Amino acid sequence: MQEKMKDLLPKSIFELIDSESFRKRTAMYIGKKSISALRIFMDGYQTCELFNGIKTKETKPPFWIFFYWICKYYNHSGSYYSWDGIILQNCENIY
């Protein structure tokens, strides 16, 4: 029984975020649908893994590349913003 449950659990934070459960019940995981709340959730998840020596499945491409992709996409230097800050800054300019 425990093996079946273990197979159902996400093997990384990215599998969790990409899951149907997370998409349907975002507020259950991060409180509200928000880019900043998502980043805080991801930072906490990764910190927990680090502190507890939990190895997760490597993602392809690695998630740290996402920051550079966001910088390129928004033509941003990335000097003092995190990926969520760059997205939010550009979304605020839309309205």
Side-chain angles (χ1 to χ4, degrees):
M1 177 93 166
Q2 279 187 330
E3 284 301 315
K4 286 184 181 182
M5 289 298 291
K6 192 174 182 181
D7 289 341
L8 296 175
L9 297 174
K11 294 177 182 43
S12 73
I13 190 169
F14 310 110
E15 282 187 18
L16 173 63
I17 291 170
D18 196 37
S19 71
E20 186 176 345
S21 174
F22 192 91
R23 290 172 189 256
K24 285 184 175 178
R25 298 175 187 91
T26 305
M28 181 178 82
Y29 291 94
I30 64 175
K32 61 183 177 178
K33 286 188 177 184
S34 151
I35 294 290
S36 297
L38 177 61
R39 194 196 108 231
I40 292 165
F41 174 79
M42 292 175 70
D43 287 349
Y45 190 101
Q46 292 172 326
T47 299
C48 176
E49 289 179 332
L50 178 68
F51 286 175
N52 292 289
I54 299 168
K55 302 239 184 217
T56 61
K57 184 176 105 178
E58 289 293 319
T59 58
K60 302 276 192 246
F63 186 72
W64 60 267
I65 291 175
F66 182 62
F67 173 76
Y68 297 102
W69 183 86
I70 291 292
C71 289
K72 185 176 179 179
Y73 183 84
Y74 287 111
N75 194 27
H76 196 280
S77 67
S79 59
Y80 53 91
Y81 279 100
S82 59
W83 61 264
D84 63 315
I86 295 169
I87 293 170
L88 291 171
Q89 180 186 39
N90 284 277
C91 289
E92 289 171 0
N93 291 336
I94 292 172
Y95 301 105

